[in-house]
Amino acid sequence: KFHLFPNPAQDRVRIVYSGDLLPEGNRITIHNSFGQLVHTKSFTVKTIELDIQSLHEGVYYIRVNGQPSSVKLIKSSRLY
């Protein structure tokens, strides 16, 4: 139960958790299109902002708390 915006993005994305209560041990993971873990971050609030400037252009998958479903993020160097 989370939303990601903007998408596509250049340098930052905001992730908003929409559940009633945050479970303990919250963690966001970002995997590249090869399934390799490229970033992880713990969080304790419902809205966080991630700096993605260091990521290369491409497609990434974001998971919260190891859920089986993920959200596709498109990292772009420029937006039209």
Side-chain angles (χ1 to χ4, degrees):
K1 295 182 182 182
F2 66 97
H3 304 281
L4 169 77
F5 60 92
N7 194 9
Q10 286 182 295
D11 54 3
R12 297 189 180 279
V13 292
R14 181 169 286 175
I15 298 172
V16 178
Y17 180 78
S18 61
D20 292 332
L21 297 173
L22 284 171
E24 291 186 28
N26 295 300
R27 192 173 75 165
I28 292 171
T29 57
I30 301 177
H31 293 81
N32 64 18
S33 58
F34 299 107
Q36 299 166 318
L37 180 66
V38 295
H39 187 76
T40 184
K41 180 173 182 156
S42 296
F43 66 99
T44 58
V45 294
K46 287 189 171 192
T47 301
I48 64 165
E49 192 168 279
L50 288 177
D51 182 348
I52 60 168
Q53 289 181 359
S54 64
L55 298 178
H56 297 288
E57 270 189 78
V59 176
Y60 294 87
Y61 297 91
I62 297 182
R63 274 201 174 109
V64 175
N65 295 333
Q67 294 177 355
S69 62
S70 61
V71 172
K72 181 170 34 172
L73 166 66
I74 299 171
K75 165 68 161 80
S76 177
S77 62
R78 60 185 171 170
L79 300 177
Y80 300 97

